[in-house]
Amino acid sequence: TWNDNGYAHSAQDPTMVYRTEFFPGLGWLLSRKWWLEVVEPSWPKCCQGYSWDLFMRDVLKGRGLDSLYPDVSRTYHIGKSGANVFNAFFNGYFREHVLA
């Protein structure tokens, strides 16, 4: 998964895992059962102004669930432009993340 703070100066241990109530966003997995019972039935229709990461944060809210995320990210954001990313943001935020 993804660590929002996974920069070279702060993320160095590929064996360390953190637990949080916050949904980390840019790389995740869940069980098929949880997808079918909880997420899929309420998944928003495409392009209605609701990004999937905000949707997932709302789904987790109030359920007493936690997310685990690694010290060093296992995924990497490759898009330099898009609905919520532009070149300067990519260069300042994503480019410097370390990857396991």
Side-chain angles (χ1 to χ4, degrees):
T1 68
W2 176 259
N3 178 354
D4 285 324
N5 298 306
Y7 298 101
H9 69 276
S10 61
Q12 300 168 358
D13 186 351
T15 65
M16 183 182 288
V17 177
Y18 301 100
R19 172 183 241 134
T20 182
E21 294 177 354
F22 183 76
F23 179 71
L26 294 178
W28 46 277
L29 66 101
L30 48 88
S31 71
R32 178 176 175 79
K33 182 179 191 273
W34 205 75
W35 169 262
L36 292 172
E37 292 177 4
V38 177
V39 180
E40 186 181 38
S42 55
W43 192 262
K45 293 193 184 319
C46 176
C47 311
Q48 293 185 344
Y50 197 53
S51 64
W52 63 267
D53 53 340
L54 296 177
F55 167 77
M56 289 297 290
R57 288 178 183 130
D58 283 349
V59 167
L60 288 175
K61 201 181 314 176
R63 293 183 181 268
L65 300 172
D66 292 331
S67 293
L68 301 178
Y69 66 96
D71 189 43
V72 179
S73 295
R74 302 310 196 263
T75 59
Y76 187 74
H77 194 283
I78 60 169
K80 290 187 179 182
S81 64
N84 298 310
V85 177
F86 48 91
N87 199 37
F89 180 74
F90 177 88
N91 288 334
Y93 183 68
F94 293 116
R95 190 178 65 186
E96 299 301 321
H97 271 77
V98 294
L99 187 63

